[in-house]
């Protein structure tokens, strides 16, 4: 028997992410308590709860760290929610935002920032913000036309903006110009905080830590730690003063792993999401789908080429001021520095000024240097630049680390992934769309190394597509010829922008049924992110009109055919949906369920995935009052798996079970077995399971989905006759 899994704080069994809004606050969450308890989760995971812009639908635009958000019910509403949840055996996880605050409109909405704009470096809040005080004034990018700012008493007004008057300590500049402060990616309305300063840390965390001490909050999710000056130091300080379960929103790519010296319990699970998605994608679909994509779009075959071009473009478009500030700290050749940023394959290498450079960190940056050298003129000072960003002055090291993330996020997440999409289910945060599929053995090897405390997920508020949209898209990897024929038919009827049309057809089918407003909203955002025809900074009203026409015609003229195609692949998509859900919920770690995804959800990127959830429908289904068969099956898998997790030792080892290519199966210690169908089209084409069987571990096993008992060697045709998955509990 293994030793019991123990840590000096409570680790959630599972979490349920809720998106708080002015229309859905603490009281509305409290009303869900009985439902969530019966669903099987142990903790409710709240989106940011500190005071933000009053109309904010996400809460990451914090304006005041001293208050719980009034629109949700304030501190008393949160305490009441905690008490109600506790009565039902549920706890609270809070999402915190240490990296930035908002620059609101009017700017007086952020009192700390207003003080800095008014009094400059003499302000008691001057140390809060990561400001470049070169020249004595901070650039505020707001000017967008020929209108002159107007003095109004002690306020300077420009349209809806307001600044202290006179303008002694700031400078209003064109909105396209880089600001005089570190921002969140390219978002000038979010100003970077200096939480590395102990006084700033204490002031911005006082309320949250008070709630932890009070027992209202049981755990923390840290937003975007890569933006901080020193993530390791921040997490160490946070753990020392909070002492609760903590996960970090860290995007891991490929073989990258969470730094071993981070004092947290794991990530928010994007690396798990991407591994699970690939498990249900057929590698054989790679060549025909890439060819189909290239034919329709004219884009390169090579994803890496698109990434390189995209990073170059976003640096030129958005990050000139940041590169200038970094160049001033690093010195040397600016173009060499730019090429090094472009070549970085991850969000950050984690070098701490004044400490020996970790071998893995040095190897990442040095390898990027070799890639950069191949693109630069002979004699470019690559080695010197690499050495400066690894071992140079503290400002050079930190600024380089902090700029790598924005270049990756804007160049890859928000540009390349909207340009290169042969199979869009692979285009997820941290995903590698050029890497089709994965073997069961590779997945088992990954899962065996997973921590029992890290978070796992399939959908989040930031995913490009919900899990069930990805489940449908994964089927296309097994049906490239049928998909090519369908797209050919639709494209012959309706076309608009070659760089966008093929993405449109994938998402129209995978999110079906979807109305014109939702579909247009998604495509308009996708077009602006891709930046091939329009962008956020370069709108084109004529393009917008044309896109609306495309959306209307695509749905009106091709909607029936799209619906027919979606219906035709439904058995396979349903299999993928249930399979990936079961795998995620039964892996080691703390499974997170994004609100509403206990049944089918066909949402696209935000804000589409932050729409209100129909909880009355979910309660009705939970009560067994009919519904869509896919919904019923997904709810059954979710509920049974979450409740089984309550009876399962979180440290139960992951034990792969031998099965054929169309199955992924594993045991969790001696208590649970999960079996899921994969690549269901290929399975059907070969005539089903035939004589294939699976040997269960010793003992008697009860299928929680069907009620049937099994022992020994079981034919898969029997085990998976009702559902494409099986969840077995040992007796």
């Amino acid at each position: 028997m293994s030793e019991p899994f123990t840590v000096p704080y409570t680790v959630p069994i599972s979490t349920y992410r809720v998106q708080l809004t002015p229309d859905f606050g603490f009281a509305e969450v409290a009303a869900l308590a009985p439902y969530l308890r019966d669903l099987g989760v142990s903790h409710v995971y709240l989106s940011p709860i500190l005071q933000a812009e009053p109309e904010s639908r996400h809460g990451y635009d914090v304006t005041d760290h001293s208050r719980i958000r009034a629109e949700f019910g304030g501190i008393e509403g949160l305490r009441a929610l905690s008490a109600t949840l506790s009565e039902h055996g549920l706890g609270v996880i809070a999402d915190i935002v240490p990296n930035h605050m908002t620059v609101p409109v009017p700017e007086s909405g952020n009192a700390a920032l207003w003080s800095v704009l008014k009094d400059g470096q003499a302000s008691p809040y001057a140390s809060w913000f990561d400001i470049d005080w070169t020249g004595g004034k901070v650039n505020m990018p707001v000017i967008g036309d020929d209108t002159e700012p107007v003095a109004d008493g002690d306020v300077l007004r420009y349209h809806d903006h307001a600044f202290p008057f006179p303008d002694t300590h700031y400078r209003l500049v064109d909105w396209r110009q880089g600001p005089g402060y570190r921002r969140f990616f390219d978002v000038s309305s979010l100003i970077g905080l200096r939480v590395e300063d102990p006084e700033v840390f204490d002031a911005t965390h006082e309320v949250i830590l008070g709630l932890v001490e009070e027992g209202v909050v049981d755990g923390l999710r840290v937003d975007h730690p890569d933006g901080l000056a020193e993530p390791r130091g921040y997490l160490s300080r946070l753990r020392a003063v909070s002492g609760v379960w903590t996960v970090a929103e860290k995007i891991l790519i490929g073989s990258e792993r969470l730094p071993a010296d981070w004092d947290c319990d794991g990530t928010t699970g994007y690396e798990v999401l991407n591994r699970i998605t690939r498990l249900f994608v057929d590698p054989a679909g790679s060549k025909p789908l890439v060819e189909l994509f290239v034919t329709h779009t004219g884009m390169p075959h090579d994803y890496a080429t698109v990434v390189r071009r995209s990073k170059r473009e976003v640096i030129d478009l958005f990050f000139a001021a940041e590169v200038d500030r970094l160049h001033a700290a690093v010195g040397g050749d600016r173009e060499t520095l730019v090429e090094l940023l472009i070549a970085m394959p991850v969000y950050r290498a984690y070098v701490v000024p004044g400490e020996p450079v970790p071998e893995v960190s040095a190897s990442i940056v040095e390898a990027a240097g070799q890639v950069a050298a191949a693109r630069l003129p002979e004699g470019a000072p690559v080695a010197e630049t690499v050495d400066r960003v690894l071992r140079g002055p503290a400002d050079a090291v930190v600024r380089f680390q902090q700029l790598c993330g924005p270049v990756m996020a804007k160049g890859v997440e928000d540009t390349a992934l909207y340009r290169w999409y042969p199979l869009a289910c692979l285009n997820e945060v941290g995903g590698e769309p050029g890497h089709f599929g994965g073997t069961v053995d590779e997945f088992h090897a990954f899962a065996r190394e997973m921590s029992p405390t890290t978070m796992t997920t399939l959908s989040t508020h930031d995913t490009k597509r919900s899990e069930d949209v990805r489940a449908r898209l994964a089927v296309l990897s097994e049906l490239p010829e049928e998909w090519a024929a369908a797209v050919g038919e639709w494209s012959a009827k309706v076309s608009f922008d070659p760089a966008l049309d093929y993405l449109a057809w994938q998402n129209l089918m995978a999110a079906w049924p979807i109305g014109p407003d939702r579909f247009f909203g998604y495509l308009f955002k996708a077009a602006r992110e891709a930046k091939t025809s329009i962008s956020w900074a370069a709108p084109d009203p004529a393009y917008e009109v044309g896109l609306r026409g495309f959306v209307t015609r695509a749905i009106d003229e091709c909607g029936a055919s799209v619906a027919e195609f979606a219906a035709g692949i439904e058995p396979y998509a349903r299999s993928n949906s249930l399979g990936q859900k079961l795998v995620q919920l039964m892996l080691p770690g703390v499974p997170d369920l994004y609100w509403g995804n206990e049944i089918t959800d066909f949402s696209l990127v935000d804000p589409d995935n932050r729409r209100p959830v129909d909880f009355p429908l979910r309660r009705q289904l939970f009560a067994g009052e009919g519904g869509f068969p896919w919904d019923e099956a997904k709810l059954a898998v979710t509920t049974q798996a979450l409740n089984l997790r309550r009876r399962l030792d979180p440290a139960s080892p992951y034990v792969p079970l031998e099965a054929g290519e169309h199955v992924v199966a594993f045991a969790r210690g001696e208590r649970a077995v999960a079996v899921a169908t994969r690549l269901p089209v290929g399975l059907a084409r070969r005539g089903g399971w035939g004589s294939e069987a699976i040997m269960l571990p010793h003992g008697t096993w009860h299928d929680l989905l069907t009620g049937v008992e099994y022992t020994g060697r079981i034919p898969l045709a029997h085990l998976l006759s009702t559902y494409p998955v099986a969840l077995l509990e040992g007796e």
Side-chain angles (χ1 to χ4, degrees):
M1 295 286 292
S2 61
E3 291 295 318
F5 174 70
T6 58
V7 290
Y9 43 83
T10 300
V11 176
I13 299 171
S14 55
T15 62
Y16 190 93
R17 167 76 177 208
V18 173
Q19 289 299 113
L20 296 164
T21 69
D23 312 310
F24 196 91
F26 299 140
E28 286 74 20
V29 177
L32 295 177
Y35 169 74
L36 296 178
R37 175 201 61 207
D38 294 344
L39 195 63
V41 300
S42 69
H43 287 72
V44 176
Y45 161 27
L46 300 175
S47 59
I49 58 176
L50 293 178
Q51 187 61 49
E53 288 267 44
E55 300 302 317
S56 175
R57 311 293 293 182
H58 53 76
Y60 291 95
D61 44 2
V62 175
T63 59
D64 186 349
H65 289 86
S66 70
R67 293 190 294 143
I68 298 300
R69 194 164 169 191
E71 294 80 17
F72 300 162
I75 183 66
E76 293 307 320
L78 179 58
R79 286 177 175 140
L81 167 61
S82 176
T84 299
L85 293 176
S86 182
E87 291 173 1
H88 292 84
L90 302 170
V92 171
I93 307 298
D95 190 347
I96 62 174
V97 191
N99 176 67
H100 55 262
M101 290 183 76
T102 194
V103 180
V105 180
E107 285 68 11
S108 56
N110 183 333
L113 177 62
W114 185 265
S115 173
V116 174
L117 295 173
K118 181 175 183 292
D119 298 322
Q121 296 179 71
S123 165
Y125 298 99
S127 64
W128 276 42
F129 303 107
D130 192 353
I131 291 174
D132 181 3
W133 288 108
T134 304
K137 292 188 177 184
V138 56
N139 287 346
M140 301 300 294
V142 299
I143 301 297
D145 57 26
D146 295 331
T147 304
E148 290 291 327
V150 176
D152 179 11
D154 59 357
V155 174
L156 183 68
R157 301 193 184 279
Y158 175 75
H159 294 291
D160 293 333
H161 296 274
F163 297 89
F165 184 79
D167 54 345
T168 309
H169 300 292
Y170 61 89
R171 180 189 301 110
L172 301 187
V173 299
D174 187 274
W175 71 274
R176 297 172 185 83
Q177 185 174 328
Y181 48 84
R182 179 176 60 82
R183 51 188 167 171
F184 174 74
F185 299 159
D186 65 330
V187 184
S188 295
S189 61
L190 296 174
I191 183 171
L193 286 169
R194 297 183 62 254
V195 290
E196 64 272 20
D197 183 320
E199 291 185 5
V200 178
F201 179 97
D202 291 343
T204 56
H205 289 70
E206 181 178 4
V207 168
I208 290 292
L209 294 174
L211 292 169
V212 169
E213 185 175 2
E214 191 179 330
V216 172
V217 169
D218 305 299
L220 300 170
R221 180 262 194 192
V222 178
D223 183 65
H224 188 49
D226 277 348
L228 305 177
E230 213 282 83
R232 184 194 66 185
Y234 169 81
L235 290 168
S236 177
R237 182 178 179 84
L238 182 66
R239 177 82 88 186
V241 293
S242 71
V244 295
W245 179 79
T246 303
V247 290
E249 188 209 21
K250 167 61 193 161
I251 309 304
L252 300 173
I253 298 176
S255 60
E256 185 186 14
R257 295 293 178 266
L258 192 71
D261 56 2
W262 278 21
D263 198 354
C264 67
D265 293 284
T267 74
T268 52
Y270 279 103
E271 72 280 7
V272 179
L273 179 159
N274 284 304
R275 294 275 183 161
I276 294 174
T277 295
R278 290 210 303 262
L279 186 63
F280 293 87
V281 169
D282 188 352
S286 174
K287 184 176 180 180
L289 287 179
V290 170
E291 289 294 336
L292 180 65
F293 163 74
V294 170
T295 298
H296 276 274
T297 65
M299 295 295 287
H301 284 78
D302 180 31
Y303 173 60
T305 298
V306 175
V307 168
R308 185 167 64 251
R309 291 176 182 171
S310 298
K311 284 187 173 183
R312 162 67 71 176
E313 288 182 29
V314 299
I315 286 175
D316 292 342
L317 280 170
F318 305 127
F319 298 125
E322 285 84 352
V323 172
D324 287 343
R325 192 175 181 187
L326 174 61
H327 183 226
V330 174
D333 178 54
R334 188 181 192 278
E335 181 57 24
T336 299
L337 191 58
V338 168
E339 284 292 349
L340 184 60
L341 285 165
I342 293 171
M344 283 291 291
V346 293
Y347 283 70
R348 192 163 176 152
Y350 305 105
V351 180
V352 179
E355 294 186 7
V357 179
E359 183 178 342
V360 65
S361 304
S363 65
I364 290 171
V365 182
E366 289 166 358
Q370 293 175 4
V371 173
R375 300 175 190 147
L376 288 162
E378 187 174 350
V382 176
E384 296 90 333
T385 303
V386 167
D387 188 66
R388 291 280 287 180
V389 302
L390 288 174
R391 304 173 186 88
D395 201 39
V397 174
V398 171
R399 295 290 170 204
F400 181 76
Q401 296 289 312
Q402 288 181 303
L403 187 50
C404 287
V407 172
M408 281 290 293
K410 295 307 299 181
V412 179
E413 279 185 43
D414 292 341
T415 304
L417 292 184
Y418 286 94
R419 292 182 177 183
W420 204 89
Y421 44 84
L423 186 61
C425 62
L426 300 173
N427 291 44
E428 204 42 82
V429 177
E432 300 170 278
H435 186 172
F436 270 69
T439 69
V440 173
D441 287 344
E442 289 171 342
F443 183 81
H444 285 323
F446 172 80
R448 292 182 78 163
E449 300 300 317
M450 287 178 61
S451 163
T453 62
T454 194
M455 181 180 275
T456 70
T457 191
L458 283 180
S459 297
T460 77
H461 60 286
D462 273 339
T463 42
K464 306 295 185 186
R465 292 158 194 83
S466 69
E467 59 204 59
D468 293 317
V469 170
R470 295 199 308 275
R472 278 176 170 169
L473 289 168
V475 177
L476 305 184
S477 68
E478 296 194 82
L479 294 170
E481 293 181 359
E482 292 84 347
W483 174 244
V487 171
E489 173 194 330
W490 303 333
S491 297
K493 293 180 179 179
V494 185
S495 63
F496 173 60
D497 180 353
L500 188 70
D501 289 3
Y502 185 60
L503 184 67
W505 295 123
Q506 288 189 64
N507 288 280
L508 181 61
M509 186 282 295
W512 190 265
I514 183 171
D517 289 340
R518 280 182 59 208
F519 190 39
F520 172 79
Y522 169 74
L523 287 182
F524 194 36
K525 177 172 182 173
R528 287 183 289 187
E529 297 285 27
K531 308 170 193 65
T532 50
S533 300
I534 61 169
S535 70
W536 298 97
D540 181 350
Y543 185 94
E544 181 177 351
V545 171
L547 183 59
R548 283 194 180 276
F550 170 80
V551 165
T552 300
R553 291 187 59 205
I555 292 176
D556 288 350
E557 299 179 31
C558 303
S561 178
V562 170
E564 183 180 4
F565 189 95
I569 68 167
E570 183 175 309
Y572 311 123
R574 173 177 173 269
S575 177
N576 288 342
S577 168
L578 301 183
Q580 64 187 11
K581 197 69 175 178
L582 178 65
V583 169
Q584 182 239 339
L585 294 179
M586 294 308 298
L587 283 175
V590 178
D592 174 52
L593 182 65
Y594 185 60
W595 75 335
N597 279 262
E598 58 268 36
I599 66 173
T600 56
D601 178 78
F602 300 102
S603 295
L604 300 171
V605 74
D606 69 278
D608 192 62
N609 61 9
R610 297 174 184 175
R611 289 172 294 136
V613 171
D614 186 348
F615 284 108
L617 169 64
R618 284 155 179 81
R619 287 192 180 99
Q620 179 182 331
L621 288 169
F622 196 83
E625 298 176 12
F628 182 40
W630 188 347
D631 285 338
E632 293 175 342
K634 191 177 181 186
L635 183 61
V637 168
T638 300
T639 304
Q640 292 296 342
L642 288 175
N643 280 281
L644 175 56
R645 292 297 298 241
R646 291 182 171 275
R647 305 187 291 272
L648 185 67
D649 181 349
S652 296
Y654 178 97
V655 182
L657 298 182
E658 196 170 324
E661 66 170 323
H662 291 285
V663 175
V664 56
F666 55 90
R668 292 297 311 280
E670 300 173 354
R671 188 63 186 265
V673 167
V675 182
T677 302
R678 60 186 293 267
L679 308 183
V681 176
L683 176 66
R685 284 178 170 170
R686 75 173 205 182
W689 295 111
S691 61
E692 277 195 58
I694 186 171
M695 176 61 75
L696 298 177
H698 179 74
T700 300
W701 295 88
H702 178 73
D703 190 335
L704 299 177
L705 299 175
T706 64
V708 178
E709 289 191 350
Y710 298 101
T711 57
R713 187 175 181 83
I714 309 299
L716 287 171
H718 183 44
L719 181 66
L720 303 177
S721 60
T722 304
Y723 296 99
V725 298
L727 177 60
L728 311 174
E729 184 174 13
E731 297 181 357

